[in-house]
mmCIF file of all heavy atoms in Angstrom:
data_model
loop_
_atom_site.group_PDB
_atom_site.id
_atom_site.type_symbol
_atom_site.label_atom_id
_atom_site.label_comp_id
_atom_site.label_asym_id
_atom_site.label_seq_id
_atom_site.Cartn_x
_atom_site.Cartn_y
_atom_site.Cartn_z
ATOM 1 N N GLN D 320 104.083 104.227 99.736
ATOM 2 C CA GLN D 320 104.581 105.273 100.579
ATOM 3 C C GLN D 320 103.839 105.262 101.945
ATOM 4 O O GLN D 320 104.312 105.990 102.856
ATOM 5 C CB GLN D 320 104.494 106.573 99.855
ATOM 6 C CG GLN D 320 105.245 106.590 98.567
ATOM 7 C CD GLN D 320 104.900 107.859 97.734
ATOM 8 O OE1 GLN D 320 104.586 108.914 98.318
ATOM 9 N NE2 GLN D 320 104.997 107.775 96.436
ATOM 10 N N ALA D 321 102.711 104.583 102.044
ATOM 11 C CA ALA D 321 101.932 104.690 103.265
ATOM 12 C C ALA D 321 102.614 104.036 104.399
ATOM 13 O O ALA D 321 103.269 102.950 104.270
ATOM 14 C CB ALA D 321 100.577 104.059 103.030
ATOM 15 N N ARG D 322 102.520 104.618 105.543
ATOM 16 C CA ARG D 322 103.069 104.131 106.837
ATOM 17 C C ARG D 322 102.215 103.144 107.555
ATOM 18 O O ARG D 322 102.588 102.506 108.516
ATOM 19 C CB ARG D 322 103.472 105.305 107.770
ATOM 20 C CG ARG D 322 104.535 106.175 107.157
ATOM 21 C CD ARG D 322 104.724 107.434 108.112
ATOM 22 N NE ARG D 322 105.067 106.995 109.465
ATOM 23 C CZ ARG D 322 104.848 107.689 110.566
ATOM 24 N NH1 ARG D 322 104.190 108.761 110.479
ATOM 25 N NH2 ARG D 322 105.213 107.178 111.785
ATOM 26 N N ALA D 323 100.992 102.975 107.082
ATOM 27 C CA ALA D 323 100.047 102.045 107.711
ATOM 28 C C ALA D 323 99.668 100.987 106.704
ATOM 29 O O ALA D 323 99.778 101.253 105.484
ATOM 30 C CB ALA D 323 98.767 102.773 108.228
ATOM 31 N N PRO D 324 99.271 99.793 107.126
ATOM 32 C CA PRO D 324 98.794 98.750 106.131
ATOM 33 C C PRO D 324 97.666 99.290 105.317
ATOM 34 O O PRO D 324 96.791 100.020 105.813
ATOM 35 C CB PRO D 324 98.369 97.599 107.040
ATOM 36 C CG PRO D 324 99.094 97.790 108.393
ATOM 37 C CD PRO D 324 99.182 99.365 108.553
ATOM 38 N N VAL D 325 97.600 98.857 104.009
ATOM 39 C CA VAL D 325 96.575 99.299 103.142
ATOM 40 C C VAL D 325 95.751 98.091 102.584
ATOM 41 O O VAL D 325 96.341 97.041 102.264
ATOM 42 C CB VAL D 325 97.185 100.034 101.951
ATOM 43 C CG1 VAL D 325 96.142 100.420 100.858
ATOM 44 C CG2 VAL D 325 98.025 101.251 102.401
ATOM 45 N N TYR D 326 94.464 98.281 102.563
ATOM 46 C CA TYR D 326 93.571 97.229 102.010
ATOM 47 C C TYR D 326 92.622 97.885 100.919
ATOM 48 O O TYR D 326 92.197 99.034 101.184
ATOM 49 C CB TYR D 326 92.676 96.622 103.167
ATOM 50 C CG TYR D 326 93.565 95.913 104.196
ATOM 51 C CD1 TYR D 326 93.862 96.636 105.335
ATOM 52 C CD2 TYR D 326 94.118 94.701 103.974
ATOM 53 C CE1 TYR D 326 94.721 96.057 106.295
ATOM 54 C CE2 TYR D 326 94.883 94.098 104.946
ATOM 55 C CZ TYR D 326 95.225 94.862 106.037
ATOM 56 O OH TYR D 326 96.059 94.236 106.976
ATOM 57 N N VAL D 327 92.389 97.237 99.845
ATOM 58 C CA VAL D 327 91.673 97.757 98.728
ATOM 59 C C VAL D 327 90.475 96.887 98.350
ATOM 60 O O VAL D 327 90.530 95.653 98.552
ATOM 61 C CB VAL D 327 92.607 97.990 97.458
ATOM 62 C CG1 VAL D 327 93.786 98.868 97.865
ATOM 63 C CG2 VAL D 327 93.045 96.648 96.961
ATOM 64 N N ILE D 328 89.486 97.537 97.827
ATOM 65 C CA ILE D 328 88.344 96.795 97.192
ATOM 66 C C ILE D 328 88.161 97.373 95.795
ATOM 67 O O ILE D 328 88.562 98.518 95.482
ATOM 68 C CB ILE D 328 87.063 96.875 98.026
ATOM 69 C CG1 ILE D 328 86.588 98.313 98.076
ATOM 70 C CG2 ILE D 328 87.297 96.323 99.428
ATOM 71 C CD1 ILE D 328 85.165 98.474 98.718
ATOM 72 N N PRO D 329 87.453 96.628 94.882
ATOM 73 C CA PRO D 329 87.209 97.166 93.544
ATOM 74 C C PRO D 329 86.012 98.064 93.523
ATOM 75 O O PRO D 329 85.020 97.901 94.175
ATOM 76 C CB PRO D 329 86.942 95.869 92.745
ATOM 77 C CG PRO D 329 86.400 94.943 93.771
ATOM 78 C CD PRO D 329 87.041 95.260 95.082
ATOM 79 N N GLY D 330 86.141 99.082 92.623
ATOM 80 C CA GLY D 330 84.963 99.900 92.278
ATOM 81 C C GLY D 330 84.629 99.620 90.834
ATOM 82 O O GLY D 330 85.164 98.726 90.234
ATOM 83 N N ASN D 331 83.635 100.369 90.391
ATOM 84 C CA ASN D 331 83.119 100.038 88.996
ATOM 85 C C ASN D 331 84.111 100.281 87.890
ATOM 86 O O ASN D 331 84.019 99.685 86.750
ATOM 87 C CB ASN D 331 81.881 100.886 88.741
ATOM 88 C CG ASN D 331 82.088 102.390 88.987
ATOM 89 O OD1 ASN D 331 81.984 102.786 90.084
ATOM 90 N ND2 ASN D 331 82.232 103.105 87.911
ATOM 91 N N LYS D 332 85.228 101.057 88.117
ATOM 92 C CA LYS D 332 86.213 101.353 87.152
ATOM 93 C C LYS D 332 87.344 100.319 87.264
ATOM 94 O O LYS D 332 88.235 100.312 86.417
ATOM 95 C CB LYS D 332 86.792 102.690 87.294
ATOM 96 C CG LYS D 332 85.804 103.850 86.945
ATOM 97 C CD LYS D 332 85.414 103.873 85.528
ATOM 98 C CE LYS D 332 84.631 105.115 85.168
ATOM 99 N NZ LYS D 332 84.295 105.173 83.743
ATOM 100 N N ASP D 333 87.331 99.480 88.198
ATOM 101 C CA ASP D 333 88.441 98.530 88.425
ATOM 102 C C ASP D 333 88.182 97.195 87.648
ATOM 103 O O ASP D 333 87.037 96.884 87.248
ATOM 104 C CB ASP D 333 88.632 98.280 89.898
ATOM 105 C CG ASP D 333 89.185 99.429 90.679
ATOM 106 O OD1 ASP D 333 90.239 99.925 90.260
ATOM 107 O OD2 ASP D 333 88.528 99.946 91.635
ATOM 108 N N ASP D 334 89.233 96.416 87.552
ATOM 109 C CA ASP D 334 89.165 95.078 86.956
ATOM 110 C C ASP D 334 89.717 94.111 88.028
ATOM 111 O O ASP D 334 90.837 94.283 88.554
ATOM 112 C CB ASP D 334 90.021 95.018 85.716
ATOM 113 C CG ASP D 334 90.133 93.578 85.134
ATOM 114 O OD1 ASP D 334 89.253 93.186 84.379
ATOM 115 O OD2 ASP D 334 91.118 92.914 85.442
ATOM 116 N N ARG D 335 88.901 93.112 88.369
ATOM 117 C CA ARG D 335 89.383 92.187 89.431
ATOM 118 C C ARG D 335 90.691 91.543 89.170
ATOM 119 O O ARG D 335 91.494 91.440 90.081
ATOM 120 C CB ARG D 335 88.255 91.144 89.642
ATOM 121 C CG ARG D 335 86.950 91.676 90.139
ATOM 122 C CD ARG D 335 85.980 90.573 90.493
ATOM 123 N NE ARG D 335 84.584 91.056 90.879
ATOM 124 C CZ ARG D 335 83.565 91.278 90.043
ATOM 125 N NH1 ARG D 335 83.732 90.902 88.743
ATOM 126 N NH2 ARG D 335 82.420 91.681 90.451
ATOM 127 N N THR D 336 90.889 91.022 87.948
ATOM 128 C CA THR D 336 92.166 90.303 87.653
ATOM 129 C C THR D 336 93.328 91.219 87.806
ATOM 130 O O THR D 336 94.321 90.898 88.410
ATOM 131 C CB THR D 336 92.035 89.716 86.250
ATOM 132 O OG1 THR D 336 90.989 88.801 86.177
ATOM 133 C CG2 THR D 336 93.390 89.001 85.878
ATOM 134 N N ASN D 337 93.259 92.406 87.194
ATOM 135 C CA ASN D 337 94.402 93.305 87.274
ATOM 136 C C ASN D 337 94.586 93.839 88.649
ATOM 137 O O ASN D 337 95.774 94.102 89.030
ATOM 138 C CB ASN D 337 94.177 94.487 86.220
ATOM 139 C CG ASN D 337 94.469 94.085 84.759
ATOM 140 O OD1 ASN D 337 94.984 92.971 84.551
ATOM 141 N ND2 ASN D 337 94.034 94.865 83.868
ATOM 142 N N LEU D 338 93.550 94.048 89.333
ATOM 143 C CA LEU D 338 93.621 94.536 90.771
ATOM 144 C C LEU D 338 94.331 93.402 91.601
ATOM 145 O O LEU D 338 95.283 93.715 92.382
ATOM 146 C CB LEU D 338 92.260 94.742 91.347
ATOM 147 C CG LEU D 338 92.204 95.329 92.769
ATOM 148 C CD1 LEU D 338 91.009 96.247 92.964
ATOM 149 C CD2 LEU D 338 92.082 94.182 93.835
ATOM 150 N N ARG D 339 93.972 92.159 91.422
ATOM 151 C CA ARG D 339 94.605 91.082 92.119
ATOM 152 C C ARG D 339 96.062 90.972 91.780
ATOM 153 O O ARG D 339 96.965 90.811 92.664
ATOM 154 C CB ARG D 339 93.927 89.738 91.874
ATOM 155 C CG ARG D 339 92.632 89.498 92.647
ATOM 156 C CD ARG D 339 92.304 88.022 92.602
ATOM 157 N NE ARG D 339 90.985 87.732 93.210
ATOM 158 C CZ ARG D 339 89.881 87.766 92.399
ATOM 159 N NH1 ARG D 339 89.979 87.982 91.118
ATOM 160 N NH2 ARG D 339 88.733 87.598 92.970
ATOM 161 N N THR D 340 96.373 91.110 90.508
ATOM 162 C CA THR D 340 97.815 90.998 90.080
ATOM 163 C C THR D 340 98.625 92.098 90.727
ATOM 164 O O THR D 340 99.759 91.880 91.234
ATOM 165 C CB THR D 340 97.848 91.142 88.567
ATOM 166 O OG1 THR D 340 97.149 90.016 87.908
ATOM 167 C CG2 THR D 340 99.339 91.115 88.063
ATOM 168 N N ALA D 341 98.006 93.279 90.830
ATOM 169 C CA ALA D 341 98.789 94.456 91.438
ATOM 170 C C ALA D 341 98.988 94.289 92.903
ATOM 171 O O ALA D 341 100.088 94.625 93.455
ATOM 172 C CB ALA D 341 98.023 95.780 91.103
ATOM 173 N N PHE D 342 97.936 93.838 93.618
ATOM 174 C CA PHE D 342 97.958 93.826 95.117
ATOM 175 C C PHE D 342 98.200 92.534 95.738
ATOM 176 O O PHE D 342 98.185 92.393 96.946
ATOM 177 C CB PHE D 342 96.700 94.554 95.586
ATOM 178 C CG PHE D 342 96.626 95.990 95.279
ATOM 179 C CD1 PHE D 342 95.872 96.423 94.202
ATOM 180 C CD2 PHE D 342 97.281 96.916 96.061
ATOM 181 C CE1 PHE D 342 95.794 97.810 93.960
ATOM 182 C CE2 PHE D 342 97.211 98.261 95.780
ATOM 183 C CZ PHE D 342 96.506 98.704 94.656
ATOM 184 N N SER D 343 98.293 91.427 94.980
ATOM 185 C CA SER D 343 98.419 90.075 95.500
ATOM 186 C C SER D 343 99.694 89.900 96.397
ATOM 187 O O SER D 343 99.568 89.124 97.356
ATOM 188 C CB SER D 343 98.456 89.024 94.376
ATOM 189 O OG SER D 343 99.478 89.270 93.498
ATOM 190 N N PRO D 344 100.766 90.572 96.080
ATOM 191 C CA PRO D 344 101.917 90.436 97.002
ATOM 192 C C PRO D 344 101.579 90.803 98.495
ATOM 193 O O PRO D 344 102.370 90.406 99.442
ATOM 194 C CB PRO D 344 102.952 91.368 96.420
ATOM 195 C CG PRO D 344 102.608 91.461 95.035
ATOM 196 C CD PRO D 344 101.097 91.457 95.019
ATOM 197 N N ARG D 345 100.507 91.550 98.750
ATOM 198 C CA ARG D 345 100.173 91.958 100.092
ATOM 199 C C ARG D 345 99.511 90.863 100.856
ATOM 200 O O ARG D 345 99.342 90.949 102.073
ATOM 201 C CB ARG D 345 99.304 93.196 100.076
ATOM 202 C CG ARG D 345 100.051 94.440 99.485
ATOM 203 C CD ARG D 345 99.112 95.617 99.347
ATOM 204 N NE ARG D 345 99.935 96.722 98.700
ATOM 205 C CZ ARG D 345 100.301 97.794 99.240
ATOM 206 N NH1 ARG D 345 99.999 98.031 100.522
ATOM 207 N NH2 ARG D 345 100.955 98.721 98.650
#
C-alpha cells in the first residue's frame, strides 16, 4: 500500500530465507 519504494533488512525475529522469498520480487 506504500506510495514510496520500500527496502527491508532483517531483525533478530526474521528469517533470511523467508524474508528473501517474500521480498525478492522487488
Side-chain angles (χ1 to χ4, degrees):
Q320 302 169 28
R322 295 175 57 206
V325 178
Y326 301 98
V327 303
I328 65 170
N331 51 282
K332 293 291 187 180
D333 291 304
D334 174 84
R335 294 185 184 95
T336 299
N337 286 346
L338 183 149
R339 281 198 189 91
T340 299
F342 291 98
S343 60
R345 297 174 183 250

